[in-house]
Amino acid sequence: VVWFYKIFYAYLFELLPETKKMFHCDMEKQGRMMITMISYMLDSFYNVSLNHTIHELVKKHIKYGVKPYHFFIMGEVLFFTLYSVLENEYTDECDIAWKKMYSSMLRIALPILHAHDEHYVIGNLYKNIKYQTKDEIFLLLRILCLSVK
């Protein structure tokens, strides 16, 4: 468990260094909370209570300053970490299953994040979404390319 979240947070802070200031507790404690939440989500994937849990979790993250694009990068970080940890056991089927789970979570989380982010305009991905910077566009395109592989 320790090596999972060490890889996860090292890569997260490499891609999004500004997020490091969002973490005020011991990173081992933070890592254990993340593992607990992932385990809960996996156990509750088909449970209606998962919606409520994700809503509450997203509201907490908004208070920490999390933006919608952070969740896209966090997905990349999660998949990279899983691949790094599981190595040969991270098969195509495993990758698809994790991406489906993460996409399901995003379907719940993103509308909540968008409603609280005045700089992010909801719209058709190919027509109307406006980003604050070119870096955000680059990061989104990078994630979309990685998810197509």
Side-chain angles (χ1 to χ4, degrees), residues 4 9 11 35 41 48 59 64 69 71 75 78 80 88-89 96 99 115 120-122 125 131 134 142:
F4 181 88
Y9 287 110
Y11 193 46
I35 296 298
M41 288 180 71
V48 178
K59 287 177 185 177
Y64 303 140
Y69 74 94
F71 274 83
L78 176 64
F80 170 82
N88 293 336
E89 293 178 44
I96 290 168
K99 286 179 179 172
Y120 200 97
V121 178
I122 301 174
L125 189 60
Y131 296 89
K134 288 187 222 175
R142 184 172 163 211

Side-chain angles (χ1 to χ4, degrees), residues 21-105:
K21 67 182 179 212
M22 294 178 188
F23 297 91
H24 303 288
C25 69
D26 172 53
M27 290 312 291
E28 185 171 330
K29 180 180 177 184
Q30 177 65 37
R32 292 191 188 284
M33 288 190 302
M34 179 187 65
I35 296 298
T36 300
M37 183 49 62
I38 290 173
S39 297
Y40 174 78
M41 288 180 71
L42 291 173
D43 289 341
S44 306
F45 190 68
Y46 295 106
N47 190 327
V48 178
S49 68
L50 182 61
N51 259 1
H52 176 72
T53 302
I54 292 172
H55 275 258
E56 293 306 311
L57 189 63
V58 170
K59 287 177 185 177
K60 282 183 185 178
H61 281 75
I62 289 169
K63 290 178 184 175
Y64 303 140
V66 173
K67 301 292 182 198
Y69 74 94
H70 290 150
F71 274 83
F72 290 104
I73 305 303
M74 197 170 73
E76 178 184 345
V77 171
L78 176 64
F79 306 137
F80 170 82
T81 305
L82 289 164
Y83 178 78
S84 298
V85 169
L86 296 174
E87 296 176 341
N88 293 336
E89 293 178 44
Y90 194 72
T91 62
D92 289 342
E93 294 82 15
C94 183
D95 183 58
I96 290 168
W98 275 101
K99 286 179 179 172
K100 283 183 179 180
M101 191 271 300
Y102 196 76
S103 295
S104 296
M105 186 275 302

